[in-house]
Amino acid sequence: MQRNATTQHPILLVHGLFGFASIGKLELFHGVKQALRNAGTQVFIPYLSATHCNEVRGEQLLAQIDLVLTRTGASKVNLIGHSQGALAARYAAAKAPQNVASVTSVSGPNHGSELADCLRKALTPGHLPEQVAVAVSTLFVEFLSFISGSPKIPQNAVAALNALTTEGVGAFNAKYPQGLPSTWGGNGEEQVNGVRYYSWSGTLQGSLLDEGLHTLDPLHGFCRGFSRFFTRETEQNDGMVGRFSSHLGTVLRSDYPMDHLDAINQTAGLVRKDIDPIELFVRHAERLKSVGL
């Protein structure tokens, strides 16, 4: 049966760290854009710096929101940000609430990432390990830009890492607290300055042996490995972001059985039987439609 998720305002899918719109037939939000369009939604994917701080990426997003509003004649947009994309979306909504109808965080590090904390400690500023990491990440980003045909825009791997640590996001939150919970693990205000805030995320569950074919997914293997660096949210994380760190606004659910990249359907073709990431996006578009957004 044909779904009806014709939102009043266009949806922008905002990518996170090392993100891109598409490389050939590979889309970062794999299958999500097409599913939303099939359900009647206008969808755009803005291109932001693959590595940079939240404020720089947020300013880039604001400029592209203006382009979408001009192109479509819409008065506002709905922002759905994955990972660091959630922070760029929050920045845009805080700076220009008149242009944003809603912000939805999907596995966003809204209170920082313990993985980023560990990387920051391991990479001593100005020393060889950090310099090597910066060089490698820069080459990787340049390669992504080349094969995806994306425009060249500023990149800064160190700024990106600092922006994702608990300390870095804490400083960001002090300036842009809209939608944040007042208590750890709770819900935030659903509506601030006319902008509605939502979030959802997942956690790694069981052991690798419980995953079936998902065990063969290399991306899932990386997330399982990264999860060992979490101490505050041990066994309550998706490999890159802690469950309660992801909370923003109305928390739809924060323990879906999925890792950080499952959330955007990046599963190397090995989709779990008990979760459909695309369905979560379509269902949310229907939710936004139901409240007039």
Side-chain angles (χ1 to χ4, degrees), residues 17-18 50-57 84 116-117 119-121 123-138 141 154-165 168-169:
L17 186 68
F18 294 123
T51 58
H52 222 304
C53 67
N54 304 318
E55 288 85 350
V56 167
R57 300 179 83 247
Q84 193 185 10
D117 292 343
L119 288 173
R120 179 68 280 175
K121 290 176 182 177
L123 301 175
T124 306
H127 289 223
L128 185 59
E130 182 190 64
Q131 294 167 355
V132 171
V134 169
V136 170
S137 64
T138 300
V141 168
Q155 309 290 344
N156 190 323
V158 173
L161 177 58
N162 290 338
L164 291 170
T165 62
V169 177

Side-chain angles (χ1 to χ4, degrees), residues 89-258:
R90 287 176 49 199
Y91 177 91
K95 287 290 189 177
Q98 72 278 5
N99 291 339
V100 179
S102 70
V103 169
T104 302
S105 167
V106 177
S107 305
N110 294 304
H111 296 272
S113 168
E114 290 186 67
L115 178 61
D117 292 343
C118 290
L119 288 173
R120 179 68 280 175
K121 290 176 182 177
L123 301 175
T124 306
H127 289 223
L128 185 59
E130 182 190 64
Q131 294 167 355
V132 171
V134 169
V136 170
S137 64
T138 300
L139 287 173
F140 180 63
V141 168
E142 290 178 350
F143 175 70
L144 284 179
S145 297
F146 174 74
I147 62 177
S148 65
S150 301
K152 287 190 175 182
I153 53 179
Q155 309 290 344
N156 190 323
V158 173
L161 177 58
N162 290 338
L164 291 170
T165 62
T166 301
E167 181 180 359
V169 177
F172 177 83
N173 287 347
K175 293 183 286 186
Y176 313 108
Q178 292 85 346
L180 291 173
S182 58
T183 58
W184 180 250
N187 284 256
E189 287 188 65
E190 179 174 328
Q191 190 165 351
V192 183
N193 296 331
V195 181
R196 289 181 183 263
Y197 289 84
Y198 303 91
S199 61
W200 79 76
S201 59
T203 59
L204 296 169
Q205 298 174 16
S207 69
L208 189 59
L209 297 178
D210 299 325
E211 297 290 349
L213 287 177
H214 209 56
T215 305
L216 303 176
D217 179 2
L219 299 178
H220 183 70
F222 282 124
C223 287
R224 286 275 177 183
F226 292 150
S227 69
R228 293 179 296 178
F229 293 99
F230 286 75
T231 55
R232 184 178 188 183
E233 296 199 73
T234 303
E235 299 182 358
Q236 291 290 321
N237 64 80
D238 65 7
M240 296 186 186
V241 174
R243 174 184 178 182
F244 298 125
S245 179
S246 73
H247 284 199
L248 182 76
T250 297
V251 181
L252 302 171
R253 183 175 170 182
S254 58
D255 64 344
Y256 284 112
M258 61 186 186

